[in-house]
Amino acid sequence: MMDDYSLPSWIYIAVLTVFVGGVMKKILASHLSPTPAVVAWLGATVLVERLWAFCVPAVLVLVLLGVICCLFSITRSMPATLLPAQGKAVFITGCDSGFGKATVKRLDSMGFEVFATVLDLLGDGARELQRTCSSHLTLLQVDITDQQQVHQALLDTKAKLGLKGLWGLVNNAGVCVNFGDTELSLMSNFRGCMEVNFFGTLSVTKNFLPLLRRSRGRIISISSPAGDQPFPCLSAYGASKAALNLLVNTLRHELEPWGVQVSVVLPSSYKTGQTSNHAYWEEKHKQLLQSLPPSLLEEYGEDYVNETKDLFDSFSSEANPDLSPVVNAIVEALLAPQLQPRYFAGPGVGLMYFIHSYCPFSLSNRFLQKLFMKKKLAPRALRKQSSFEVSSNNNNNNNNNNDEKLM
């Protein structure tokens, strides 16, 4: 029966085997949701069908694959044995609110020695942490874009740690200061995002690396899917996170010989910082309208800009207020015996990355547009152009009809 197979068939089977195996390996290593796993299962079924010609009992192969998948699922669902938190020191940035503040509370309750940076030591967030956390918490006023403040935070941390190294650095501080098309976004927004999300994080990481190398510790950075995928109207934020993601991947390779492990946490949409502050986005919207050149505003239309602001406002109001998935991912990254390269925190992130990695670009792009920015208005200039074309077509049709009548 094997003689019936020609060389092209052998090549087909080999390529299909490599593809299906690669897909399944990537899925199992990426903490994806069950939906993409079904796609991989269908691919495996096609492979089994091709192997039927070699007298391999397809049913037995499917059963074997099912048993393997079940064992893997059981293994992953079992609670992992985490490393002890006692005696470990962690430095975390951006703790006035959001992920940072929630993570500090969790780490402090677990027995970590936590060094947390805030922008305002007298602010509500800092006061809440001082009131609710133990004496093991050290609050430091740090703007991560200020090199002098970052260096002073390093000196303060070293003075308290003594000869003990730093187990974990959690790069959490970040900003998203823009909304709108790239052409409408201010250059100051691009620079502001890069200054905090990339350069600030890089500065903190470089300063604290000696302490991390001493303890063979870990670097955990909070990034965003917008750094890997082209979310509409988030170019400034996404570009800064893309730079951060590449930095993380590079550090992972460079620090491996030192025993320092590096990972990134990719959250879905959550209510943090200013995302749910309606007054903040209204002020940003007014600043944008005032700063745009009149000719550019005329081409896009104020109603187009207003719709974008309303869509952001609506998207923010629907964001998840429960930050625990992100906090859980950070804790696992700090204490798991084997650190994963990335952690998906929140529903739908795994599926999003699967579509981005394996589906055609047109499908992935449409998925992002439907998921994030469901715009109904086109820019004003395009609407006028469309109306002019429709009017011209109607006139041409009328002229043609008149010519036919005359004939």
Side-chain angles (χ1 to χ4, degrees), residues 17-170:
T17 303
V18 172
F19 174 75
V20 173
V23 170
M24 294 192 71
K25 180 180 179 181
K26 193 164 186 178
I27 288 173
L28 297 178
S30 301
H31 302 283
L32 293 177
S33 61
T35 303
V38 173
V39 178
W41 180 260
L42 292 176
T45 305
V46 174
L47 178 61
V48 169
E49 181 270 328
R50 302 303 299 175
L51 291 174
W52 177 260
F54 296 99
C55 299
V56 179
V59 176
L60 292 180
V61 174
L62 287 174
V63 170
L64 179 61
L65 287 174
V67 171
I68 293 173
C69 289
C70 288
L71 290 175
F72 180 81
S73 299
I74 293 173
T75 303
R76 284 187 57 184
S77 62
M78 294 174 61
T81 303
L82 299 179
L83 300 174
Q86 297 294 330
K88 290 182 171 60
V90 174
F91 187 94
I92 178 169
T93 63
C95 302
D96 297 85
S97 62
F99 299 143
K101 187 172 74 171
T103 302
V104 168
K105 290 181 178 181
R106 175 78 67 83
L107 296 182
D108 180 76
S109 68
M110 295 175 67
F112 280 96
E113 182 177 1
V114 182
F115 296 85
T117 75
V118 293
L119 285 174
D120 184 4
L121 280 174
L122 301 178
D124 293 338
R127 290 178 182 275
E128 182 181 345
L129 289 175
Q130 289 174 329
R131 185 175 64 253
T132 58
C133 293
S134 70
S135 58
H136 295 295
L137 171 66
T138 301
L139 285 179
L140 302 167
Q141 184 164 326
V142 179
D143 177 352
I144 66 171
T145 65
D146 187 321
Q147 178 60 35
Q148 186 174 351
Q149 291 186 24
V150 172
H151 184 65
Q152 185 59 51
L154 172 64
L155 296 179
D156 294 340
T157 303
K158 288 173 66 175
K160 193 159 186 178
L161 285 177
L163 297 177
K164 186 172 65 173
L166 185 69
W167 172 254
L169 167 63
V170 180

Side-chain angles (χ1 to χ4, degrees), residues 6 10 55 57 62 94 96 109 112 132 160 186 189 191 214 221 245 280 283-284 292 305 322 358 374 381 391 396:
S6 60
W10 278 99
C55 299
L62 287 174
D96 297 85
S109 68
F112 280 96
T132 58
K160 193 159 186 178
L186 304 177
N189 290 344
R191 293 191 178 96
R214 182 186 304 170
S221 298
N245 289 349
Y280 172 82
E283 181 61 29
K284 288 291 181 182
L292 287 177
V305 180
D322 179 17
Y358 295 108
K374 302 175 183 177
S391 177
N396 289 335

Side-chain angles (χ1 to χ4, degrees), residues 32-349:
L32 293 177
S33 61
T35 303
V38 173
V39 178
W41 180 260
L42 292 176
T45 305
V46 174
L47 178 61
V48 169
E49 181 270 328
R50 302 303 299 175
L51 291 174
W52 177 260
F54 296 99
C55 299
V56 179
V59 176
L60 292 180
V61 174
L62 287 174
V63 170
L64 179 61
L65 287 174
V67 171
I68 293 173
C69 289
C70 288
L71 290 175
F72 180 81
S73 299
I74 293 173
T75 303
R76 284 187 57 184
S77 62
M78 294 174 61
T81 303
L82 299 179
L83 300 174
Q86 297 294 330
K88 290 182 171 60
V90 174
F91 187 94
I92 178 169
T93 63
C95 302
D96 297 85
S97 62
F99 299 143
K101 187 172 74 171
T103 302
V104 168
K105 290 181 178 181
R106 175 78 67 83
L107 296 182
D108 180 76
S109 68
M110 295 175 67
F112 280 96
E113 182 177 1
V114 182
F115 296 85
T117 75
V118 293
L119 285 174
D120 184 4
L121 280 174
L122 301 178
D124 293 338
R127 290 178 182 275
E128 182 181 345
L129 289 175
Q130 289 174 329
R131 185 175 64 253
T132 58
C133 293
S134 70
S135 58
H136 295 295
L137 171 66
T138 301
L139 285 179
L140 302 167
Q141 184 164 326
V142 179
D143 177 352
I144 66 171
T145 65
D146 187 321
Q147 178 60 35
Q148 186 174 351
Q149 291 186 24
V150 172
H151 184 65
Q152 185 59 51
L154 172 64
L155 296 179
D156 294 340
T157 303
K158 288 173 66 175
K160 193 159 186 178
L161 285 177
L163 297 177
K164 186 172 65 173
L166 185 69
W167 172 254
L169 167 63
V170 180
N171 289 314
N172 169 71
V175 294
C176 178
V177 296
N178 81 298
F179 59 88
D181 300 54
T182 302
E183 189 176 12
L184 299 177
S185 299
L186 304 177
M187 286 300 296
S188 59
N189 290 344
F190 284 89
R191 293 191 178 96
C193 284
M194 287 296 295
E195 196 64 36
V196 177
N197 299 342
F198 178 71
F199 288 112
T201 299
L202 176 60
S203 174
V204 172
T205 302
K206 285 173 65 67
N207 273 272
F208 282 82
L209 261 176
L211 295 180
L212 293 162
R213 287 191 285 105
R214 182 186 304 170
S215 62
R216 300 172 69 88
R218 300 179 175 190
I219 301 174
I220 316 300
S221 298
I222 314 303
S223 187
S224 168
D228 293 318
Q229 303 177 44
F231 280 82
C233 299
L234 278 181
S235 58
Y237 177 73
S240 66
K241 290 298 187 178
L244 175 61
N245 289 349
L246 184 60
L247 173 66
V248 168
N249 290 332
T250 304
L251 286 172
R252 184 181 300 114
H253 293 294
E254 294 177 346
L255 297 177
E256 184 177 1
W258 293 93
V260 177
Q261 299 184 62
V262 181
S263 183
V264 64
V265 175
L266 300 163
S268 57
S269 177
Y270 290 93
K271 287 187 178 181
T272 60
Q274 301 285 4
T275 57
S276 56
N277 187 339
H278 181 74
Y280 172 82
W281 291 113
E282 283 289 344
E283 181 61 29
K284 288 291 181 182
H285 177 63
K286 290 179 181 178
Q287 292 177 5
L288 176 63
L289 291 177
Q290 293 170 359
S291 62
L292 287 177
S295 58
L296 187 60
L297 183 58
E298 174 64 25
E299 292 213 349
Y300 276 88
E302 188 171 339
D303 55 349
Y304 178 86
V305 180
N306 290 341
E307 184 195 38
T308 303
K309 185 263 296 182
D310 292 338
L311 287 172
F312 264 87
D313 207 7
S314 174
F315 188 81
S316 299
S317 65
E318 296 172 0
N320 191 352
D322 179 17
L323 309 183
S324 58
V326 179
V327 177
N328 293 340
I330 295 173
V331 171
E332 183 179 348
L334 286 171
L335 295 179
Q338 183 58 47
L339 186 66
Q340 298 294 325
R342 60 185 182 182
Y343 291 86
F344 296 141
V349 183

